[in-house]
């Protein structure tokens, strides 16, 4: 297409008749003299001769190709996967072992790398869910040189089906995950071909991104000249990035956290609920809510299932939990904030004291974190190769969560010389820097990366939080921390409607405003005492693994800058 945006008009020499049109007129001033008859005859003869020669060459080439194909002893053993190919049972890389030596296997995998060593030998690195196995192809009947050449030229990332004999390599293949075996190819077919040029190579994304590139980007090269793939490039090309061994392992940990949370909840007798994410008013007051168009009126994306969880308790459901998206319209461009994250929420009734629920939540976290270590050992080891700095996550030795009061935390910070005067006046919550420092102090003093702070000042908590009846400056509320950063907020909730309305007014939330009538109505008809909490799955994964950025622990992260892919 022409730059002007106008349709392309062929240049004169591109038109079929160009020669005729461009030939100068035989008459008129300046026109060359007409060629002689003899010269014309000679030119025609030469043209015919050249045409014949070209015809002969083409014929010869076709014959040669046919002859080559006729002698291609590997015909049918490679190429596109034929419809007639038997669907041989496929072996996963995770099932492969030394027991397969000298046995034939069929695998389906991506080509991580393909290179021809010579006309008779090529190597392919195959990749399956981050795991790598080397495959070798050597020309020896029936494997032909043509087949070797074809295999060595397969586009990186194409998906292939390979049948071959498993052998012990002469020296372990250090670049493969399964270094003690290789597959000697007998058949290889392409199932899905990748483009020749990819925006990023999966092998380049195997190395961790530089730490300082959350927002900016730029092509960089490391000491060995290999490209450094920044976080932005990875996230822009997330599907390729998800194929790295590390991303594969991280997504397993996310899956594990959700699995263990639901397992613990269901075993406790809790009921899995699914609350609406479209609401007619902002759920907790405040401005951190996304407004959307809802036919002829406005609606909002739920910033937590808080009010609905409580309404379920009022609806006699006893103990409930949810795993679902949570939306926050916060313009926070930090390593730990997203505008959409996966919330793990629970709410349950208690009989005498909210500590019944707090203990339940502490045991929940100890269960999740210990079981992750047990069930996902391999994945954790893979991730630690890329992110070794944070080290193993330390759990309390006695299997019991460390619980301190908020004021104990303040005292520890004060002892360390931190200015906590605002916190002592109960005007502000702990800052992120204070939380991190407290995490350090607690790690050194108590040898744990997981701890709980109880009894936060009432002033820094939302309207539905129950103040401590014995000292209303503080509330029956708690936060959970991993490596010094918050992963859960929870509390006993006010269940008396009058007290709730008063608290709302005190906190500047109008009980008569739209959306709160339904909530308050739930309490007017009587609601048992209850407490609960909200956890961020992405944060648990991030801090458990010691990842430097929450985006690495999120499939398709959303933040103030990013709404794709
Ligand atoms: P923070 O002080 O870190 O912004 P918060 O006090 O706003 O968190 P809550 O509203 O209490 O957090 O939400 C409960 C949990 O949900 C948090 O402990 C955290 O695990 C997770 N969470 C909250 N906001 C975000 C966010 N923007 N991105 C990712 N996770 C979040």
């Amino acid at each position: 297409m022409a730059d002007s945006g106008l349709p392309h008009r062929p240049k004169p020499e591109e038109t079929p008749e160009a020669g005729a049109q461009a030939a100068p007129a035989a008459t008129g001033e300046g026109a060359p003299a007409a060629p002689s008859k003899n010269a014309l005859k000679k030119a025609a003869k030469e043209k015919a001769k050249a045409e014949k020669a070209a015809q002969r060459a083409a014929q010869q080439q076709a014959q040669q190709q046919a002859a080559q194909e006729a002698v291609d002893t590997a015909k049918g053993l490679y190429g596109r996967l034929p419809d007639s190919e038997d669907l041989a049972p496929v072996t996963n890389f995770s099932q492969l072992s030394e027991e397969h030596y000298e046995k034939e296997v069929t695998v389906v995998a991506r080509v991580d790398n393909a290179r021809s060593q010579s006309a008779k030998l090529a190597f392919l690195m195959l990749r399956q869910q981050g795991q790598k196995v080397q495959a070798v192809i050597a020309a020896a009947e029936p494997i032909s040189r043509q087949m070797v050449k074809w295999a060595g030229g397969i586009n990186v990332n194409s998906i292939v089906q390979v049948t071959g004999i498993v052998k012990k390599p002469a020296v372990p293949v250090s670049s493969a995950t399964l270094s003690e075996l290789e597959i000697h190819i007998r058949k290889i077919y392409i199932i899905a071909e990748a483009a020749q040029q990819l925006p990023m190579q999966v092998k380049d994304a195997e190395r961790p991104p530089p730490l300082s590139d959350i927002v900016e980007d730029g092509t960089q090269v490391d000491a060995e000249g290999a490209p450094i793939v920044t976080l932005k490039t990875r996230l822009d090309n997330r599907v390729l990035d998800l194929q790295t061994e590390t991303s594969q392992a991280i997504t397993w940990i996310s899956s594990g956290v959700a699995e263990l949370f639901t397992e613990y909840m269901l075993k406790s007798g809790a009921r899995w609920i699914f609350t609406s994410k479209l609401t007619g008013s902002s759920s907790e007051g405040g401005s951190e809510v996304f407004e959307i168009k809802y036919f002829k009126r406005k609606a909002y994306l739920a910033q937590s299932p808080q009010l609905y969880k409580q309404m379920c308790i009022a609806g006699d459901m006893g103990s409930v939990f949810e795993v679902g998206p949570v939306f926050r319209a916060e313009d926070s461009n930090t390593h730990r904030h997203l505008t959409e994250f996966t919330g793990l929420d629970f709410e349950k009734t208690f009989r005498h004291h909210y500590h019944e629920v707090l203990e339940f939540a502490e045991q929940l976290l100890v269960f999740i974190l210990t079981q992750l270590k047990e069930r996902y050992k391999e994945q954790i080891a893979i991730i630690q190769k890329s992110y070794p700095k944070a080290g193993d996550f330390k759990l309390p030795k006695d299997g019991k969560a460390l619980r301190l009061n908020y004021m104990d935390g303040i005292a520890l910070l004060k002892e360390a010389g931190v200015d906590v005067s605002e916190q002592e006046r109960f005007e502000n919550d702990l800052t992120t820097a204070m939380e991190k420092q407290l995490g350090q102090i607690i790690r050194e003093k108590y040898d744990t990366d997981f701890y709980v702070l109880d009894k936060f000042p009432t002033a820094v908590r939302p309207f539905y939080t129950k103040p401590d009846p014995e000292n209303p400056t503080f509330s029956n509320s708690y936060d959970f921390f991993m490596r010094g950063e918050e992963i859960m907020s929870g509390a006993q909730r006010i269940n008396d409607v009058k007290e709730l309305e008063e608290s709302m007014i005190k906190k500047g939330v109008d009980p008569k405003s739209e959306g709160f009538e339904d909530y308050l109505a739930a309490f007017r008809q009587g609601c048992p005492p209850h407490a609960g909490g909200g956890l961020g799955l992405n944060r648990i994964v991030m801090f458990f693994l010691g990842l430097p950025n929450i985006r690495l622990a999120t499939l398709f992260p959303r933040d103030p800058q990013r709404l794709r892919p």
Side-chain angles (χ1 to χ4, degrees), residues 91-97 100 105 107 133 166 178 181 183:
T91 308
N92 286 333
F93 284 3
S94 54
Q95 299 167 313
L96 280 177
S97 71
H100 287 90
V105 294
V107 298
V133 170
V166 177
L178 303 178
L181 54 84
I183 300 173

Side-chain angles (χ1 to χ4, degrees), residues 218-269:
T219 311
Q220 300 161 44
V221 170
D222 70 10
E224 277 111 52
I228 292 176
V229 187
T230 60
L231 184 60
K232 181 179 182 301
T233 306
R234 280 159 209 265
L235 297 178
D236 285 347
N237 301 286
R238 189 62 163 148
V239 172
L240 283 172
D241 186 46
L242 288 175
Q243 292 172 16
T244 63
E245 192 186 25
T246 313
S247 296
Q248 287 283 322
I250 294 173
T251 47
W252 270 118
I253 301 294
S254 300
S255 166
V257 172
E259 163 206 335
L260 293 163
F261 175 72
T262 49
E263 186 177 315
Y264 182 90
M265 285 295 162
L266 290 168
K267 262 200 191 142
S268 77

Side-chain angles (χ1 to χ4, degrees), residues 92-271:
N92 286 333
F93 284 3
S94 54
Q95 299 167 313
L96 280 177
S97 71
E98 292 169 11
E99 287 185 6
H100 287 90
Y101 283 163
E102 303 308 324
K103 291 195 182 133
E104 185 177 277
V105 294
T106 294
V107 298
V108 171
R110 281 190 191 273
V111 173
D112 189 62
N113 195 26
R115 82 191 147 86
S116 291
Q117 181 88 342
S118 68
K120 290 180 165 184
L121 184 67
F123 291 95
L124 274 78
M125 187 59 82
L126 302 177
R127 192 183 69 234
Q128 202 181 69
Q129 298 192 4
Q131 288 202 308
K132 289 180 203 160
V133 170
Q134 177 163 276
V136 191
I137 180 160
E141 282 233 8
I143 310 290
S144 62
R145 285 179 179 223
Q146 293 96 310
M147 179 171 171
V148 173
K149 189 174 169 201
W150 181 87
I154 295 177
N155 288 349
V156 165
N157 239 49
S158 298
I159 301 171
V160 291
Q161 176 176 311
V162 169
T163 300
I165 310 293
V166 177
K167 290 194 183 277
K168 187 180 167 68
V171 271
V173 188
S174 61
S175 51
T177 321
L178 303 178
S179 55
E180 290 295 341
L181 54 84
E182 60 185 12
I183 300 173
H184 287 234
I185 299 176
R186 315 296 300 160
K187 292 192 220 173
I188 176 164
Y189 303 111
I190 288 187
I191 292 179
E193 191 173 27
Q196 216 163 17
Q197 288 282 323
L198 297 178
M200 162 184 115
Q201 293 294 324
V202 174
K203 67 179 161 56
D204 291 329
E206 293 285 4
R207 296 180 298 278
L211 289 183
S212 58
D213 75 329
I214 297 174
V215 193
E216 85 274 14
D217 197 11
T219 311
Q220 300 161 44
V221 170
D222 70 10
E224 277 111 52
I228 292 176
V229 187
T230 60
L231 184 60
K232 181 179 182 301
T233 306
R234 280 159 209 265
L235 297 178
D236 285 347
N237 301 286
R238 189 62 163 148
V239 172
L240 283 172
D241 186 46
L242 288 175
Q243 292 172 16
T244 63
E245 192 186 25
T246 313
S247 296
Q248 287 283 322
I250 294 173
T251 47
W252 270 118
I253 301 294
S254 300
S255 166
V257 172
E259 163 206 335
L260 293 163
F261 175 72
T262 49
E263 186 177 315
Y264 182 90
M265 285 295 162
L266 290 168
K267 262 200 191 142
S268 77
R271 194 179 313 192

